[in-house]
């Protein structure tokens, strides 16, 4: 594909970027070493997917049980909702920059920071989801002799799946976006193309942006699909009405 | 601590500032250059002024972006409210804009708008659409049918019902959406530095380098405080815009 194939002059700038993704380009600062190309794009994309997935998983493992526990007990509303609100205000760039300059660089540290950014939305939405479960359903479950653990597992969790998934999707958007600036913390993700204009050139910057956008949308679609699969049929019917 | 370099009395050195000795007697480097130093109060008090302009730039970016985002999302929500089949496509469309990382969005706009404030504002407004749209829709959908029936019974037209009954009752959700959008936009606007649009990010990252912890902490803290301050203003505005809720919560049962 080349620039001539793209019809409008407005989009002419994208031609070089698409070329950058598929074939290696000369770079002025790497001493003749070529940059870009499918291999490098895949390598950086994989790192970004890896750290994002690890961070989402870690955030879920911490936030969902805590949210379920406090939601079930009906305690700590101010804290649970407050954490979500406060978490939203944390500037991702400052968080990454601070960790990189104070604690250090590398994948484990990065995953930890990304997970911390993901915890607030998941925790808050899990808590709110459980609190919104009809009390009559919980009482009915208790009436048929379910233990508290069974109520959480078989009644409250399935009924709060839509809310929990909203939290996970919000967290994922944030985590994938922040993983893009991970090169500042020494982990080379697709953001390296975006932040390294003097190495990769304007085409590389644009190519990075295109691939990051596609990657973020893949995450979003995958989670939307997962949400549909995890939501019980009865709940889907109820929502459709 | 001001005994001076090599025990030389300060008065003997004339024009050299006091800071010169402060930095070089205790340690060989000024504290902002020592990585182990988390927060350098001396530097902070001396250089706090340099954060003023970036903070103002960030504030402007946020206010303009949220205003544009609100205007568009509000109109989209009214359209979807009138033509129900459009609800889902609009939710999905704004969802796509929401999911694209802002930094990638900035760069995607480069061939079209170049670097600068416009680019940042377009990307940030696009980001807020989904949040505000979803909340306005939710607010309109939560209006009880009984309220609409009563309005209809009083002879209000559909348009009057929308503006005099449905929208006022949806104010808490609408303002809720604006609050979430604003707080997240303050955080994300820090990335506007990558679009050459200034903002507090310029005190965190400059010319391909991270600056030192003290400046990062100050810039981050200003962003967080700004988010909370705007949030508080919006919350107060919401309370004034919905006097019936205040009355309900103050009423003695």
């Amino acid at each position: 594909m080349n620039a001539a194939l793209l019809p409008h002059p407005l989009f002419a700038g994208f031609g070089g970027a698409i070329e950058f993704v598929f074939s290696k380009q000369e770079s002025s600062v790497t001493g003749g070493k070529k940059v870009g190309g499918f291999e490098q794009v895949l390598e950086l994309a994989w790192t970004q997917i890896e750290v994002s997935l690890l961070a989402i998983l870690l955030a879920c493992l911490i936030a969902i049980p805590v949210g379920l526990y406090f939601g079930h007990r009906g305690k700590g509303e101010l804290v649970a909702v407050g954490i979500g609100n406060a978490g939203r205000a944390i500037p991702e760039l400052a968080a990454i920059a601070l960790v990189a300059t104070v604690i250090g660089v590398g994948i484990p540290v990065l995953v930890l920071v990304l997970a911390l950014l993901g915890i607030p939305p998941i925790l808050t939405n899990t808590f709110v989801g459980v609190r919104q479960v009809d009390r009559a359903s919980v009482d009915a479950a208790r009436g048929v002799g379910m233990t508290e653990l069974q109520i959480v597992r078989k009644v409250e969790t399935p009924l709060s799946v839509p809310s929990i998934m909203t939290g996970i999707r919000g967290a994922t958007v944030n985590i994938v976006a922040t993983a893009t600036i991970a090169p500042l913390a020494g982990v080379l993700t697709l953001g390296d193309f975006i932040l390294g204009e003097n190495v990769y050139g304007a085409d590389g910057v644009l190519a990075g942006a295109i691939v990051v956008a596609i990657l973020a949308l893949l995450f979003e679609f995958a989670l939307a699909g997962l949400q549909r699969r995890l939501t019980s049929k009865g709940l889907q019917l109820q929502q459709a009405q | 601590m001001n005994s001076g370099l090599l025990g030389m009395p300060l008065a003997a050195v004339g024009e050299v500032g006091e800071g010169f000795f402060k930095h070089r007697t205790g340690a060989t480097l000024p504290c902002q250059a020592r990585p182990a130093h988390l927060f350098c109060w001396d530097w902070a008090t001396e250089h706090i002024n340099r954060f003023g302009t970036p903070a103002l730039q960030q504030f402007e970016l946020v206010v303009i972006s949220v205003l544009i985002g609100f205007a568009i999302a509000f109109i989209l929500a009214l359209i979807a409210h009138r033509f129900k089949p459009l609800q889902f496509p609009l939710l999905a469309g704004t969802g796509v804009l929401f999911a694209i990382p802002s930094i990638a969005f900035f760069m995607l706009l480069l061939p079209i708008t170049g670097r600068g404030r416009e680019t940042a504002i377009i990307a940030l407004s696009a980001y807020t659409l989904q949040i505000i749209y979803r909340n306005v829709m939710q607010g309109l959908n939560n209006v009880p049918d009984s309220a609409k029936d009563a309005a209809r019974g009083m002879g209000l037209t559909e348009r009057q019902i929308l503006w005099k009954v449905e929208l006022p009752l949806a104010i808490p959700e609408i303002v809720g959406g604006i609050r979430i959008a604003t707080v997240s936009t303050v955080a994300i606007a820090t990335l506007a530095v990558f679009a050459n649009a200034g903002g507090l990010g310029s005190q965190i990252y400059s010319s391909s380098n991270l600056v030192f912890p003290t400046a990062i902490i100050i810039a981050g803290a200003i962003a967080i405080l700004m988010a909370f301050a705007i949030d508080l203003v919006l919350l107060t505005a919401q309370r004034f815009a919905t006097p019936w809720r205040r009355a309900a919560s103050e009423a003695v049962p």
Side-chain angles (χ1 to χ4, degrees):
Chain A
M1 229 196 267
N2 61 51
L5 287 175
L6 293 155
H8 196 279
L10 201 60
F11 299 104
F14 289 95
I18 290 163
E19 228 169 284
F20 181 94
V21 174
F22 291 103
S23 55
K24 293 188 173 183
Q25 310 286 314
E26 299 283 348
S27 165
S28 49
V29 294
T30 46
K33 229 179 100 191
K34 293 191 169 185
V35 294
F38 208 52
E39 256 173 62
Q40 193 183 8
V41 170
L42 271 189
E43 189 192 321
L44 297 189
W46 174 242
T47 312
Q48 183 153 358
I49 294 172
E50 200 182 1
V51 291
S52 303
L53 279 180
L54 283 174
I56 296 165
L57 226 64
L58 185 60
C60 285
L61 279 176
I62 297 170
I64 295 179
V66 175
L68 287 175
Y69 176 79
F70 285 102
H72 178 71
R73 296 283 303 273
K75 279 182 184 165
E77 173 151 11
L78 275 179
V79 178
V81 177
I83 284 178
N85 287 334
R88 214 176 278 127
I90 297 173
E92 297 81 356
L93 177 61
I96 290 283
L98 192 61
V99 168
T101 52
V102 176
I103 301 176
V105 297
I107 289 187
V109 180
L110 176 71
V111 168
L112 210 63
V113 181
L114 294 180
L116 284 176
L117 288 173
I119 287 173
I122 303 177
L123 177 59
T124 306
N125 277 282
T126 304
F127 180 87
V128 171
V130 174
R131 292 314 297 159
Q132 277 172 351
V133 170
D134 192 351
R135 285 300 104 189
S137 310
V138 177
D139 288 341
R142 206 165 275 138
V144 298
M146 282 192 184
T147 63
E148 295 303 306
L149 200 64
Q150 282 175 322
I151 293 175
V152 173
R153 275 184 45 214
K154 298 190 171 173
V155 180
E156 290 177 332
T157 307
L159 285 175
S160 36
V161 161
S163 183
I164 296 175
M165 285 305 295
T166 304
I168 296 178
R169 285 164 75 171
T172 303
V173 166
N174 204 351
I175 286 173
V176 174
T178 311
T180 311
I181 52 172
L184 300 181
V187 178
L188 295 189
T189 60
L190 289 165
D192 201 41
F193 291 138
I194 296 179
L195 301 173
E197 182 164 9
N198 41 11
V199 178
Y200 301 106
D203 287 342
V205 172
L206 198 53
I210 294 171
V211 184
V212 165
I214 293 173
L215 188 70
L217 290 178
L218 286 179
F219 266 95
E220 172 71 8
F221 292 144
L223 286 175
L226 184 68
Q227 175 168 5
R228 202 162 308 141
R229 282 200 53 180
L230 290 179
T231 308
S232 76
K233 288 232 169 63
L235 214 55
Q236 284 179 11
L237 285 173
Q238 198 185 13
Q239 282 171 345
Q241 274 169 8
Chain B
M1 61 202 254
N2 290 331
S3 60
L5 193 65
L6 303 170
M8 209 187 292
L10 275 177
V13 212
E15 288 171 19
V16 180
E18 191 188 323
F20 182 87
F21 293 103
K22 226 190 254 176
H23 293 320
R24 280 159 187 79
T25 47
T28 47
L29 284 169
C31 85
Q32 63 264 34
R34 276 180 280 139
H37 223 93
L38 190 60
F39 198 83
C40 179
W41 282 104
D42 288 350
W43 188 90
T45 45
E46 266 175 58
H47 294 88
I48 194 72
N49 286 336
R50 64 153 73 191
F51 293 89
T53 314
L56 205 64
Q57 283 171 339
Q58 179 130 347
F59 182 74
E60 278 174 15
L61 282 175
V62 172
V63 172
I64 298 173
S65 304
V66 173
L67 281 179
I68 296 175
F70 174 72
I72 298 175
F74 187 72
I75 294 169
L76 290 180
L78 290 189
I79 294 173
H81 187 59
R82 178 80 179 74
F83 306 102
K84 300 275 187 231
L86 287 176
Q87 281 194 6
F88 182 74
L90 283 174
L91 187 69
T94 55
V96 166
L97 295 178
F98 177 74
I100 296 177
S102 305
I103 188 166
F105 214 131
F106 295 150
M107 303 305 162
L108 287 174
L109 290 170
L110 286 187
I112 304 162
T113 54
R115 287 185 198 256
R117 245 160 65 108
E118 282 167 49
T119 305
I121 289 172
I122 295 173
L124 293 175
S125 326
Y127 171 84
T128 64
L129 289 181
Q130 158 114 92
I131 303 169
I132 301 173
Y133 171 83
R134 206 163 43 187
N135 272 267
V136 177
M137 284 317 297
Q138 197 185 358
L140 290 175
N141 290 337
N142 284 352
V143 173
D145 286 335
S146 56
K148 284 183 270 186
D149 284 344
R152 220 164 270 130
M154 288 166 67
L156 267 64
T157 64
E158 287 302 313
R159 174 175 298 216
Q160 284 173 321
I161 292 176
L162 176 66
W163 289 96
K164 296 192 168 172
V165 179
E166 291 179 298
L167 283 173
L169 286 177
I171 284 177
E173 282 95 340
I174 297 176
V175 178
I178 300 174
R179 285 173 58 198
I180 297 176
T182 316
V183 173
S184 358
T185 309
V186 175
I188 289 172
T190 316
L191 294 169
V193 60
F194 296 111
N196 279 11
L200 288 164
S202 62
Q203 302 302 316
I204 296 173
Y205 179 86
S206 75
S207 53
S208 325
N209 263 311
L210 290 176
V211 289
F212 67 107
T214 308
I216 297 171
I217 292 173
I218 298 176
I222 295 177
I224 293 174
L225 288 177
M226 189 186 293
F228 286 158
I230 302 179
D231 196 44
L232 198 66
V233 170
L234 287 170
L235 185 66
T236 316
Q238 182 202 322
R239 280 179 61 86
F240 276 104
T242 53
W244 55 89
R245 289 195 128 212
R246 222 164 51 235
S249 65
E250 280 165 13
V252 182

